[in-house]
Amino acid sequence: MTASILITGCSSGIGYHCAAELNKLGYNVIASCRQLHDVERLNNQGINCIQLDLSCSKSIDRGLKQALVLANGQLDMLFNNAAYGQPGALEDLPTDALRAQFEANFFGWHQLTRAVIPLMLQQGHGKIIQNSSVLGLVAMKYRGAYNASKFAIEGYTDTLRLELDNTPLSISLIEPGPIESHFRQNAKHQFEQHIDIKNSRHQDAYQQTLHRLGTANPNNKFTLGPDAVFKQVLAIINSKHPKARYYVTQPTYIFGFLRRILPTKWLDKLLIKSN
């Protein structure tokens, strides 16, 4: 039987690339998107796609039911990928904006994962892949909401790995640095929607943030295409015993190493300069 995999956040970027490539390889891919027009676009391309909004509990339940029909009742893998970034200094961030960040980047993942685990346990196998970030390892200024959501995913996944130790299920983290996607455009929209730039003490720094988020092609030699993440997804799929963590891009390797060896003050200085 062809292995089935549910992938969230497939309208563009990492999710779309992984869904398209796995579909080409013959996997039973069930992609999901938040917007109906994206669902229709992927279905027209021959990729099974359902509508699933991770910030809506009813949408998650409805989407999973549809996914299980397309997977003939057996879901071999779940790739939690859908997320967005809410930029801005934490002191300027409305609490509702932080709640929305966690609904999409954390609580929605939990609801979907919690619903999938009993199914995987009943069938006797299953793999869960969590797309985290280098910002789940180290923090950077003006990314506090996203930092917090990814730090939460790191702790959540580490705990769940321990709790699944005596089962046939595995859970792995993928931790990318900068990847080509629509992430910046989406983050710019959230920034302009929730942050009062003119009345912030950070307004000068915010101009740099707007410039960075408005740049279609970042001038960053470390930025890789989504294929770099796909290679790690494929490594997990093909492994009998997947690792706990898979780093992607040079910044993740660098900061993952520096976090272990440097005093906090030294690491802070590097992170401030790299912002």
Side-chain angles (χ1 to χ4, degrees), residues 187-227:
K188 185 174 184 287
H189 172 73
Q190 296 294 331
F191 181 71
E192 293 172 333
Q193 180 179 356
H194 292 293
I195 301 299
D196 183 2
I197 299 174
K198 293 182 180 179
N199 293 313
S200 171
R201 70 184 181 92
H202 300 281
Q203 59 178 292
D204 290 340
Y206 283 164
Q207 298 307 316
Q208 298 178 17
T209 298
L210 283 170
H211 176 74
R212 175 177 58 83
L213 296 177
T215 303
N217 297 309
N219 184 22
N220 186 336
K221 64 181 180 180
F222 296 121
T223 300
L224 299 179
D227 187 61

Side-chain angles (χ1 to χ4, degrees), residues 42-193:
L42 267 66
N43 277 318
N44 289 335
Q45 293 175 7
I47 302 172
N48 287 331
C49 191
I50 60 170
Q51 187 175 23
L52 195 157
D53 184 349
L54 285 171
S55 63
C56 175
S57 180
K58 291 182 179 179
S59 178
I60 295 171
D61 290 339
R62 183 170 57 248
L64 180 57
K65 287 180 181 178
Q66 294 172 347
L68 288 172
V69 171
L70 293 170
N72 298 313
Q74 178 170 300
L75 194 61
D76 301 292
M77 291 164 280
L78 168 64
F79 182 19
N80 282 314
N81 167 70
Y84 74 93
Q86 171 60 68
L90 289 173
E91 68 193 70
D92 293 336
L93 192 67
T95 303
D96 283 346
L98 188 61
R99 286 195 182 101
Q101 179 83 110
F102 267 76
E103 282 293 341
N105 290 18
F106 184 77
F107 294 123
W109 290 32
H110 170 63
Q111 181 178 340
L112 184 56
T113 301
R114 184 170 177 263
V116 164
I117 286 175
L119 301 173
M120 290 182 169
L121 289 174
Q122 185 175 15
Q123 68 194 21
H125 69 275
K127 293 178 179 179
I128 301 169
I129 305 170
Q130 310 272 73
N131 196 24
S132 184
S133 169
V134 63
L135 296 181
L137 301 176
V138 295
M140 289 188 178
K141 291 193 302 181
Y142 310 127
R143 297 168 175 86
Y146 187 74
N147 292 338
S149 71
K150 290 303 183 182
F151 268 73
I153 285 296
E154 294 279 329
Y156 177 94
T157 305
D158 282 343
T159 304
L160 193 52
R161 187 180 65 253
L162 299 176
E163 294 169 353
L164 293 174
D165 180 63
N166 61 345
T167 75
L169 277 57
S170 71
I171 185 164
S172 301
L173 285 156
I174 296 179
E175 288 157 333
I179 297 291
E180 293 174 1
S181 70
H182 291 165
F183 189 88
R184 289 181 305 281
Q185 295 95 310
N186 296 333
K188 185 174 184 287
H189 172 73
Q190 296 294 331
F191 181 71
E192 293 172 333
Q193 180 179 356

Side-chain angles (χ1 to χ4, degrees), residues 13-18 21 179-180 224-235 248:
I14 292 169
Y16 174 76
H17 183 84
C18 290
E21 292 302 310
I179 297 291
E180 293 174 1
L224 299 179
D227 187 61
V229 176
F230 171 67
K231 289 177 181 177
Q232 300 291 44
V233 171
L234 204 57
V248 182

